[in-house]
């Protein structure tokens, strides 16, 4: 098969496409291109500290006038640009199909030949190795049999074993080199095929004026995934998820057989999501601390603090609890709407205050969050039980309980309102982590706090910010927790372990600086779903702890394996 000149870019040297690209550049010059330039100039003028206000105003006014002209030019040429783009894309895509088909056929042929050569090489290496081993053994067998002195026999055997060992090392090296040679050819062929697509994507991007369509971006991600796919890496990153998915599939099959009914139903799924909703807040809070290579052992006590505060304020009539031996409190004189707002704010204030205490000692004195949050956990635990004697706060006013924590009737099934709050929390956390300077600083401090400090990041305030953010999430989650169950000083027992485990299962590394919000979300749903499924199947509660323990151990082991592999 005749080989192509792979250094020649089939699209970059296509005269028809080049002419259309040049036309698009000219059409956009006084419109889209100028708009981008003028916007940059306006931003520069606005941030210029050496210009006075009047000068800035005049410059900005002039630039905005030019911007208006550029927008008019863009509008005037929009139809012609659209038509030219469509024509250029058609030619590009047709050229890609033709070229890729040809390159794929050629490179598949290269891979096929390389495989055949590799197979033949391995067979030859094995045959040579077998022959050399036989020769070594035969040569030394004669020497050993002819030697009568025991010490010399021992020396000859040692020499034989050394030569056998050397041959085995040479054999392993030869196999490795043969495999490496084949992998190099195989990777080169993959690179060549992928480069054809990359060239196409680059040209498409230029034709569209610096962007790609949704379908083109999706195609790029799909092809890039296939191109960079490594089975060992895939199973290392997703092995635990695959096992859990397999477990859920088995549970769905076994549930009817065991007489437990259908597991995969809409009501069951909604129940799992509802139970996940409040726990989502706790995981989102502790996720930030784990990103800083820390943890939070006070989550469960924070839940008790916030939910108890909410339940006391929203209780209908006189409270059951007598705080510190005082007379029961009754907040019915305050409008219910005002009480709801106060309950939410007070819940957030209290949880954030205790989170700030732990954060201050962590950031100021470099104490590990394990110690600082353990301390606040014990303080909250002692205060709550001493103040309430462990008595439950009782039911929340029913008029507000259904309004905030109930379900929406959607024709045959109720949609849990708590899910909406969880979605809002996820979006807020994602935005903070991915779209703010503070979020970027979190990753930097978690990855290497010393390097972050040298680069100008205030490690103290980033750490404090993460603790404050965690406290707010705990406050909001514990406020909603009060609508799910009767609150008491014991509410939230063990929630910290579930939250931490959810984050670790979701890929937020204890090593620090690694993890995504979607990982925490997936982890919460997995853990809540696991608990629900085991209960649905009638598995003993104590055995459920065994399942959770195995999953946590496996998740941390995989995380450590990935960390060690990177090192």
């Amino acid at each position: 098969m005749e080989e192509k000149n792979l250094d020649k870019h089939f699209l970059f040297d296509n005269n028809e496409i080049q002419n259309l690209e040049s036309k698009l550049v000219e059409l956009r010059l006084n419109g889209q291109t100028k708009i981008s330039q003028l916007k940059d100039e306006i931003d520069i003028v606005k941030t210029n500290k050496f210009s006075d206000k009047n000068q800035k105003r005049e410059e900005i006014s002039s630039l905005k006038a030019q911007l208006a002209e550029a927008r008019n030019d863009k509008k005037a040429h929009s139809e012609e640009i659209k038509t030219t783009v469509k024509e250029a894309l058609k030619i590009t895509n047709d050229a890609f199909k033709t070229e890729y088909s040809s390159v794929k056929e050629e490179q598949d042929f290269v891979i096929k030949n390389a495989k055949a050569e590799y197979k033949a090489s391995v067979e030859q290496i094995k045959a040579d190795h077998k022959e050399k081993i036989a020769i070594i053994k035969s040569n030394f067998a004669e020497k050993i049999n002819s030697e009568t002195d025991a010490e010399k026999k021992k020396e000859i055997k040692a020499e034989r074993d050394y030569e056998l060992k050397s041959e085995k090392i040479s054999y392993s090296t030869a196999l490795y080199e043969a495999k490496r040679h084949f992998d190099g050819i195989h990777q080169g062929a993959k690179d060549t095929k992928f480069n054809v697509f990359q060239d196409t994507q680059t040209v498409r991007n230029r034709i569209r004026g610096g962007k790609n369509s949704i379908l083109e971006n999706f195609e790029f991600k799909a092809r890039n995934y296939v191109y960079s796919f490594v089975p060992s890496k895939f199973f290392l990153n997703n092995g635990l998820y695959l096992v859990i998915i397999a477990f859920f599939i088995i549970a769905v099959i076994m549930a009817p057989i065991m007489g437990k009914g259908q597991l995969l139903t809409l009501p069951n799924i909604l129940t799992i999501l509802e139970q996940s909703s409040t726990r989502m807040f706790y995981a989102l809070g502790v996720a930030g601390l784990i990103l800083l290579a820390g943890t939070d052992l006070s989550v469960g006590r924070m839940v008790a603090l916030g939910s108890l505060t909410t339940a006391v304020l929203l209780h209908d009539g006189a409270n059951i609890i007598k705080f510190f031996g005082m007379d029961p409190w009754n907040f019915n004189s305050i409008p219910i709407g005002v009480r709801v707002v106060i309950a939410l704010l007070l819940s957030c204030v209290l949880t954030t205050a205790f989170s700030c205490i732990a954060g201050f000692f962590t950031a100021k004195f470099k104490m590990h969050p394990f110690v600082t949050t353990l301390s606040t956990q014990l303080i909250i635990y002692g205060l709550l039980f001493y103040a309430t004697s462990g008595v439950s706060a009782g039911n929340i006013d029913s008029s507000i309980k259904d309004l905030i924590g109930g379900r929406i009737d959607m024709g045959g099934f109720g949609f849990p309102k708590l899910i909406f709050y969880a979605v809002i929390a996820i979006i807020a956390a994602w935005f903070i982590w991915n779209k703010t300077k503070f979020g970027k600083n979190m990753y930097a401090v978690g990855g290497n706090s010393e390097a972050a400090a040298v680069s100008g990041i205030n490690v103290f305030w980033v750490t404090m910010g993460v603790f404050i953010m965690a406290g707010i999430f705990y406050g909001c989650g514990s406020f909603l927790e009060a609508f799910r169950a009767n609150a008491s000083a014991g509410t939230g027992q063990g929630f910290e372990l579930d939250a931490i485990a959810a984050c670790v299962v979701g890929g937020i590394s204890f090593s620090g600086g690694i993890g995504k919000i979607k990982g925490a979300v997936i982890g919460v749903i997995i853990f809540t779903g696991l608990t629900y499924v085991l209960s649905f199947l009638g598995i003993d509660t104590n055995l459920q702890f065994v399942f959770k323990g195995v999953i946590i151990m496996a998740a941390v082991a995989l995380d450590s394996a990935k960390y060690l592999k990177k090192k």
Side-chain angles (χ1 to χ4, degrees):
M1 183 176 287
E2 184 182 350
E3 291 190 5
K4 292 176 177 287
N5 180 7
L6 299 178
D7 293 327
K8 184 179 176 67
H9 297 293
F10 72 103
L11 288 174
F12 298 164
D13 298 323
N14 186 305
N15 291 330
E16 195 173 5
I17 294 172
Q18 281 186 345
N19 291 335
L20 289 171
E21 279 194 67
S22 298
K23 182 181 178 181
L24 285 169
V25 169
E26 188 176 343
L27 288 170
R28 290 173 175 143
L29 185 62
N30 295 317
Q32 183 177 321
T33 305
K34 195 168 183 179
I35 288 171
S36 179
Q37 291 172 351
L38 289 168
K39 284 182 177 179
D40 290 339
E41 287 181 34
I42 290 171
D43 289 337
I44 291 169
V45 172
K46 285 180 178 179
T47 55
N48 188 350
K49 297 179 181 179
F50 300 102
S51 298
D52 58 44
K53 290 183 179 179
N54 291 330
Q55 185 181 350
K56 277 187 179 182
R57 195 179 297 114
E58 288 177 8
E59 289 182 16
I60 290 171
S61 178
S62 173
L63 290 169
K64 283 185 175 178
Q66 294 177 54
L67 190 62
E69 291 178 9
R71 282 173 177 158
N72 289 332
D73 186 275
K74 180 183 177 182
K75 189 176 180 181
H77 291 97
S78 61
E79 284 302 319
E80 190 176 359
I81 289 172
K82 188 176 179 180
T83 303
T84 308
V85 166
K86 189 175 180 180
E87 183 184 354
L89 286 174
K90 185 180 184 309
I91 295 169
T92 300
N93 291 334
D94 288 345
F96 165 69
K97 288 176 184 176
T98 303
E99 182 71 11
Y100 186 76
S101 176
S102 173
V103 171
K104 184 178 184 301
E105 182 183 356
E106 177 186 301
Q107 297 307 314
D108 286 347
F109 181 76
V110 170
I111 292 172
K112 183 179 178 181
N113 282 347
K115 277 183 179 178
E117 288 176 9
Y118 171 65
K119 188 176 180 181
S121 178
V122 168
E123 291 299 323
Q124 186 61 50
I125 290 168
K126 286 181 178 179
D128 290 347
H129 172 66
K130 189 175 181 181
E131 184 181 348
K132 287 177 182 178
I133 291 291
I135 291 170
I136 292 169
K137 286 182 177 179
S138 174
N139 290 341
F140 279 95
E142 293 177 9
K143 291 180 181 180
I144 292 168
N145 292 333
S146 62
E147 185 59 60
T148 56
D149 187 270
E151 284 298 320
K152 286 187 177 180
K153 252 187 185 183
K154 191 175 179 181
E155 289 176 5
I156 294 169
K157 285 181 179 180
E159 187 180 350
R160 177 201 62 189
D161 293 342
Y162 176 78
E163 287 200 22
L164 287 172
K165 186 178 179 181
S166 297
E167 172 53 31
K168 286 178 182 178
I169 292 172
S170 298
Y171 169 68
S172 299
T173 303
L175 287 176
Y176 171 77
E177 289 297 330
K179 182 69 166 60
R180 192 166 71 91
H181 179 68
F182 168 71
D183 288 342
I185 295 173
H186 186 264
Q187 187 61 46
K190 281 178 66 179
D191 291 345
T192 302
K193 288 190 283 187
F194 188 69
N195 286 341
V196 174
F197 176 71
Q198 276 192 316
D199 290 347
T200 306
Q201 193 76 341
T202 300
V203 174
R204 285 171 179 169
N205 185 273
R206 291 204 304 252
I207 290 170
R208 291 187 184 277
K211 59 184 178 181
N212 293 101
S213 68
I214 295 172
L215 287 175
E216 286 167 355
N217 286 330
F218 177 79
E219 183 186 8
F220 178 77
K221 288 180 180 178
R223 286 181 181 273
N224 187 56
Y225 182 82
V226 172
Y227 166 71
S228 57
F229 179 79
V230 179
S232 59
K233 185 178 178 182
F234 173 80
F235 286 110
L236 183 63
N237 290 333
N238 303 288
L240 183 63
Y241 293 146
L242 295 175
V243 171
I244 291 171
I245 290 169
F247 166 77
F248 280 126
I249 292 171
I250 293 169
V252 168
I253 296 170
M254 291 300 297
I257 297 173
M258 296 171 65
K260 303 294 182 180
Q262 293 295 330
L263 177 58
L264 196 62
T265 62
L266 183 59
N268 287 339
I269 293 171
L270 289 176
T271 300
I272 291 171
L273 293 177
E274 183 179 30
Q275 292 177 0
S276 302
S277 297
T278 53
R279 294 173 182 248
M280 196 69 70
F281 286 86
Y282 317 139
L284 293 175
V286 79
L289 297 176
I290 296 176
L291 194 71
L292 297 187
T295 188
D296 193 341
L297 299 182
S298 67
V299 179
R301 298 304 94 222
M302 294 284 194
V303 174
L305 178 63
S307 60
L308 194 59
T309 300
T310 301
V312 167
L313 283 164
L314 301 183
H315 184 71
D316 186 15
N319 275 279
I320 304 169
I321 299 173
K322 295 181 179 180
F323 281 93
F324 300 104
M326 295 187 292
D327 292 334
W329 293 342
N330 189 332
F331 297 101
N332 277 16
S333 59
I334 303 173
I336 189 66
V338 176
R339 279 195 281 158
V340 169
V341 174
I342 293 173
L344 176 58
L345 292 176
L346 191 56
S347 175
C348 289
V349 167
L350 290 173
T351 54
T352 305
F354 278 102
S355 191
C356 281
I357 293 170
F360 175 79
F361 282 94
T362 299
K364 183 69 176 176
F365 301 106
K366 308 299 180 186
M367 295 170 64
H368 197 281
F370 182 95
V371 177
T372 57
T373 57
L374 176 62
S375 302
T376 52
Q377 177 207 51
L378 295 172
I379 293 168
I380 298 170
Y381 183 81
L383 285 174
L384 288 180
F385 270 94
Y386 180 72
T388 66
S389 301
V391 177
S392 170
N395 290 323
I396 288 176
D397 191 318
S398 59
S399 63
I400 196 66
K401 187 171 185 178
D402 290 337
L403 180 64
I404 293 180
R407 292 194 170 203
I408 302 170
D409 186 11
M410 300 186 74
F413 67 92
F415 191 88
K417 296 177 182 176
L418 293 177
I419 294 175
F420 291 117
Y421 309 131
V423 170
I424 293 170
I426 292 166
I427 293 171
W430 179 87
F431 181 82
I432 293 169
W433 280 44
N434 297 283
K435 298 297 179 180
T436 66
K437 184 179 179 181
F438 173 71
K440 293 176 183 177
N441 289 346
M442 283 169 55
Y443 279 99
V445 173
N448 189 325
S449 60
E450 292 179 2
V454 170
S455 64
I457 296 172
N458 192 319
V459 176
F460 175 87
W461 281 112
V462 170
T463 305
M464 284 296 296
V466 172
F467 273 92
I468 291 169
M469 181 172 65
I472 293 171
F473 276 121
Y474 300 154
C476 293
S478 58
F479 167 80
L480 296 171
E481 192 72 40
F483 293 90
R484 293 186 63 249
N486 290 340
S488 70
T491 300
Q493 187 74 33
F495 278 22
E496 63 276 0
L497 299 181
D498 284 349
I500 293 168
C503 292
V504 175
V505 168
I508 300 177
S509 175
F510 272 124
S511 304
I514 300 171
K516 295 180 180 179
I517 285 296
K518 70 176 182 181
V521 174
I522 293 170
V524 170
I525 294 173
I526 285 175
F527 254 83
T528 309
L530 178 67
T531 303
Y532 185 85
V533 168
L534 291 173
S535 299
F536 188 89
L537 295 176
I539 305 299
D540 187 274
T541 306
N542 296 313
L543 287 177
Q544 292 182 23
F545 288 113
V546 176
F547 278 97
K548 288 183 179 181
V550 170
I551 289 175
I552 293 169
M553 184 69 76
V556 176
L558 286 170
D559 177 56
S560 299
K562 284 185 277 187
Y563 178 72
L564 291 171
K565 191 172 182 180
K566 284 180 181 179
K567 287 186 72 178

